[in-house]
Amino acid sequence: MSKLRAFVIAVLCYGVFIFALFTYRLSPLKHYRYRNIQDHKDVSNVLLETNQTPFSGRNQFAKPTKTECKPHTNIVFYKTHKCGSSTVQNIFLRFGDKNNLTFAMPVKNTFGYDHIFSLSIPFNSSMVENLPSNEYNILAHHCVYNKTGFKAIMPSDSFYVTIIREPVSVFHSRFEYFHWDRQLDLLNYSNPIDEFMNRIAAFDRHDWSRYIKRTNVMFRNFDYKQKIDTTIMAKMAMANMEEELDFVMLLEYLNESLILLKNKLCWSFEDILYVPKLVRKQRFAINESLANRIRKWSRWDVILYDRFNTSFWKQVNKFGLDKMKRELHIFKDKQDDLLKNCSEEVQLNGSMKKNALCWRVWQEERKYTKYLRNKQLTRYNKTVQQT
């Protein structure tokens, strides 16, 4: 009887062992690893979620060795109007300068300027200054959005990024920068913006064409054909934009945007430091009532901003709020050091020339473009002479 009991116990133990082995081989960790790993930042997060611990040796679930990423160098920055794009552009120009990358430069004397591709014609390859190789790393100057035109000259792995701004703020900035009060004969009003909106409400008594082209100004940056005239069509265009762009930054959360950009491109903190460009004091006040009228009139810009604002915060949450706070703290310290060591006072006394970062970060777009154009032409001329 004792032998029979021992035999039964042995069989049961063997059965439990086989069951445990079978269960392990079908554990959820395996499915996480191959099916859902893209939804997590790394394997360690998967291990935490499944209450597992890393295995060692030759086991297929061993925690992989973390490898350093390689800085991404092929970039298209679509420079939107009055959205802080000059500040961000300087970041891309500096990165290309520091790493001797090749810029897609506008053909000289376009509209009398050397730093604009076009303000009215969709971007195409004929607008780009020819180089011996015609291989470009960065495109970051003003143009009319055209993804097909970008793809014709830029590498297939190019990272497409732009920046947008809260609609009332971007309307306010454009109104003052382009002096719409002067263009529309509103100089004699105490608040030209308020009168502008009054005229919009009574457009049947005024020349409507003078005003309509100023609505949804941010959306129109991407709607280069100017043929979209319904909200449904506008939303479809926005969905297409979301597919074509790898990242949309928000000016109101510029530092958070730059932290995400740094990690997406595998850049350093130094690469994303900045000095604000073209910041102007606003002349006209906008109260909440007037702001609501502007939002209603620029409804597509509101839809656009809300869409990418939602997407942005999803990316922040995926990145990790605690991690974001840590990196923002580091970034703030580095920004403070930059503004202290590269102040305008330092710039004026000439000592900035000894610091490449300080010199680059203060460069105005036209001057920096001229410098970069001459630099890369000199580089290519030397290459041609050596071959």
Side-chain angles (χ1 to χ4, degrees):
M1 191 68 178
S2 60
K3 290 183 178 180
L4 178 60
R5 183 181 300 170
F7 176 77
V8 171
I9 293 173
V11 170
L12 289 174
C13 290
Y14 181 76
V16 171
F17 173 77
I18 294 299
F19 177 79
L21 181 62
F22 181 78
T23 302
Y24 159 69
R25 292 184 64 80
L26 294 180
S27 70
L29 178 61
K30 181 176 182 179
H31 298 291
Y32 261 114
R33 180 176 174 83
Y34 292 106
R35 186 179 61 194
N36 294 330
I37 193 65
Q38 295 302 320
D39 297 330
H40 301 271
K41 291 185 283 294
D42 52 41
V43 174
S44 62
N45 285 344
V46 181
L47 296 172
L48 289 172
E49 290 188 12
T50 55
N51 295 318
Q52 300 284 344
T53 56
F55 298 99
S56 58
R58 297 172 59 189
N59 190 282
Q60 60 180 328
F61 301 121
K63 187 175 181 180
T65 302
K66 186 175 181 180
T67 57
E68 291 187 4
C69 56
K70 182 179 179 181
H72 199 82
T73 56
N74 297 325
I75 297 155
V76 175
F77 172 59
Y78 181 60
K79 194 171 185 288
T80 46
H81 297 278
K82 311 316 298 174
C83 292
S85 60
S86 293
T87 297
V88 178
Q89 180 200 46
N90 178 266
I91 291 173
F92 292 112
L93 297 184
R94 285 190 349 249
F95 182 83
D97 184 13
K98 183 180 74 171
N99 293 284
N100 290 317
L101 302 179
T102 301
F103 293 91
M105 287 288 187
V107 173
K108 296 182 71 173
N109 296 317
T110 303
F111 303 105
Y113 300 109
D114 293 341
H115 65 293
I116 295 173
F117 287 107
S118 175
L119 296 176
S120 58
I121 303 172
F123 178 87
N124 63 76
S125 59
S126 68
M127 299 175 178
V128 182
E129 185 175 66
N130 287 326
L131 292 174
S133 68
N134 284 330
E135 295 178 354
Y136 308 100
N137 301 115
I138 296 178
L139 189 157
H141 288 81
H142 263 311
C143 62
V144 177
Y145 186 84
N146 181 14
K147 182 68 177 283
T148 301
F150 298 149
K151 291 173 68 175
I153 68 160
M154 296 300 294
S156 59
D157 68 340
S158 293
F159 186 87
Y160 289 79
V161 56
T162 190
I163 184 168
I164 61 176
R165 184 179 187 180
E166 193 278 322
V168 175
S169 296
V170 73
F171 173 86
H172 194 177
S173 180
R174 287 175 66 90
F175 190 99
E176 299 207 7
Y177 178 80
F178 292 112
H179 296 283
W180 289 354
D181 54 335
R182 184 184 305 157
Q183 294 182 31
L184 301 172
D185 302 321
L186 303 174
L187 289 172
N188 294 327
Y189 293 87
S190 59
N191 191 334
I193 297 178
D194 186 61
E195 177 60 22
F196 177 92
M197 296 309 300
N198 291 337
R199 294 191 182 188
I200 291 300
F203 68 89
D204 57 316
R205 298 199 306 270
H206 298 275
D207 180 6
W208 178 240
S209 63
R210 300 178 73 194
Y211 300 90
I212 188 62
K213 65 182 180 180
R214 293 170 171 83
T215 187
N216 298 306
V217 291
M218 201 156 50
F219 175 78
R220 294 300 183 188
N221 280 322
F222 299 91
D223 174 29
Y224 62 83
K225 294 181 180 179
Q226 304 279 302
K227 292 182 178 180
I228 293 176
D229 56 7
T230 69
T231 300
I232 293 177
M233 292 174 65
K235 288 183 177 180
M236 292 175 63
M238 293 174 202
N240 186 57
M241 288 164 52
E242 205 162 20
E243 287 293 319
E244 294 186 349
L245 297 167
D246 294 301
F247 185 42
V248 177
M249 304 170 66
L250 304 181
L251 179 60
E252 287 71 27
Y253 302 99
L254 180 57
N255 287 358
E256 288 87 346
S257 295
L258 290 173
I259 293 297
L260 291 180
L261 181 74
K262 174 183 75 69
N263 284 272
K264 288 175 182 291
L265 298 180
C266 192
W267 285 11
S268 68
F269 280 105
E270 181 178 307
D271 293 327
I272 61 170
L273 296 174
Y274 67 92
V275 169
K277 306 285 184 182
L278 303 181
V279 178
R280 293 174 175 83
K281 184 177 180 180
Q282 295 176 327
R283 297 172 292 154
F284 311 122
I286 295 181
N287 58 31
E288 189 58 29
S289 175
L290 181 55
N292 287 333
R293 294 168 68 192
I294 294 172
R295 292 189 191 100
K296 184 177 180 180
W297 186 60
S298 299
R299 62 191 183 280
W300 294 353
D301 273 1
V302 172
I303 295 172
L304 173 74
Y305 187 84
D306 287 348
R307 184 186 190 105
F308 285 106
N309 181 54
T310 299
S311 173
F312 177 83
W313 288 105
K314 285 180 179 178
Q315 293 179 70
V316 171
N317 286 325
K318 187 176 180 180
F319 181 76
L321 294 177
D322 289 338
K323 183 178 180 182
M324 176 61 75
K325 289 178 182 177
R326 291 194 300 271
E327 296 217 0
L328 283 173
H329 181 74
I330 296 171
F331 187 43
K332 181 181 182 302
D333 288 344
K334 292 183 178 293
Q335 274 287 109
D336 290 343
D337 288 341
L338 173 75
L339 296 176
K340 177 181 178 181
N341 297 323
C342 302
S343 66
E344 290 186 85
E345 182 179 350
V346 173
Q347 181 186 20
L348 291 173
N349 65 31
S351 61
M352 187 177 290
K353 295 179 180 179
K354 301 176 182 178
N355 186 316
L357 174 60
C358 289
W359 183 86
R360 290 171 178 145
V361 81
W362 275 104
Q363 291 307 298
E364 181 269 333
E365 179 183 0
R366 296 183 192 183
K367 182 178 179 181
Y368 206 5
T369 297
K370 181 178 180 181
Y371 164 81
L372 292 171
R373 186 194 303 275
N374 292 335
K375 176 184 175 182
Q376 70 182 26
L377 286 176
T378 300
R379 185 174 75 240
Y380 275 100
N381 287 337
K382 287 182 178 179
T383 302
V384 171
Q385 291 172 4
Q386 292 172 358
T387 56

